[in-house]
């Protein structure tokens, strides 16, 4: 046994194994936190004030644009449940006045991890079932911006929200859900 431990190849193989394990599992991420605090999305509609334009010339006061914020409409929402890692928070699908849709995650609190993504999925959210979200139809909205706080994720116009009725914080590297929320109207 002592001769095996003294052989340089043993140390090279052990170092390579440790490097691969560190790359895959990134254990330091259990102790890191990324906080994000994006404001809720709003559409700014411009309205013109002043007198009407006649031909190429303006009459009366100068035309000045003023911005009026419009509130988004909540299409569906749900609360996160824990799967692979303790997860809490709320997910809302918002429709902005301009028709664009956004997934807003509020008060998220989960573990940091390697290769975390935000997915919409057609799979139902159930306690203890954390590997199912890649079984059916799913749509990736992007990398998780932070494991704590509030963030917005644009939803493509082509996304079928009648089919994609859940959201998951998905670890792509290990194909597991950290936590998920069912989205109901």
């Amino acid at each position: 046994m002592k001769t095996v431990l003294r052989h340089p190849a043993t140390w090279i193989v052990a170092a390579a194994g440790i490097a691969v394990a560190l790359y895959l599992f990134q254990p330091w991420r259990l102790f890191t936190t990324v906080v994000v605090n994006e404001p809720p999305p709003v559409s700014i509609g411009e309205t013109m004030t002043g007198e009407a334009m006649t031909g190429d010339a303006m009459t009366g006061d100068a035309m000045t644009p003023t911005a009026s914020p419009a509130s988004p409409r909540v299409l569906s929402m749900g609360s996160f449940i824990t799967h692979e890692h303790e997860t809490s928070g709320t997910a809302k699908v918002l429709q902005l006045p301009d028709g664009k849709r956004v997934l807003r995650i509020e008060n998220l609190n989960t573990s940091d991890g390697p290769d975390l993504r935000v997915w919409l999925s057609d799979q139902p959210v159930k306690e203890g079932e954390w590997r199912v979200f890649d079984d059916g139809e799913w749509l990736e909205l992007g990398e998780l911006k932070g494991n704590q706080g509030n963030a917005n994720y644009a939803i493509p116009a082509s996304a079928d929200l009648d089919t994609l009725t859940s959201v998951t914080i998905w670890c792509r590297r290990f194909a597991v859900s950290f936590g998920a929320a069912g989205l109901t109207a």
Side-chain angles (χ1 to χ4, degrees), residues 36-39 102-107 145-146 149-153:
V36 64
N37 196 17
E38 294 181 345
V102 173
L103 175 70
R104 174 142 175 95
I105 298 178
E106 296 178 333
N107 302 312
K145 296 176 181 179
N150 308 303
N152 305 311
Y153 299 88

Side-chain angles (χ1 to χ4, degrees), residues 161-173:
L161 297 181
D162 291 329
T163 303
L164 301 170
T165 57
S166 63
V167 59
T168 180
I169 308 302
W170 185 256
C171 179
R172 190 165 63 179
R173 179 163 299 153

Side-chain angles (χ1 to χ4, degrees), residues 32-97:
T32 60
T33 298
V34 178
V35 178
V36 64
N37 196 17
E38 294 181 345
V42 293
S43 286
I44 303 295
E46 287 195 359
T47 59
M48 301 301 277
T49 60
E51 299 292 328
M53 290 186 59
T54 308
D56 289 347
M58 278 193 292
T59 60
D61 294 338
M63 301 291 276
T64 56
T66 59
S68 60
S71 298
R73 183 170 63 105
V74 177
L75 299 178
S76 59
M77 64 185 297
S79 295
F80 280 94
I81 66 167
T82 296
H83 281 149
E84 181 67 16
H85 292 269
E86 186 72 32
T87 302
S88 62
T90 304
K92 296 178 183 177
V93 175
L94 305 174
Q95 184 168 19
L96 305 180

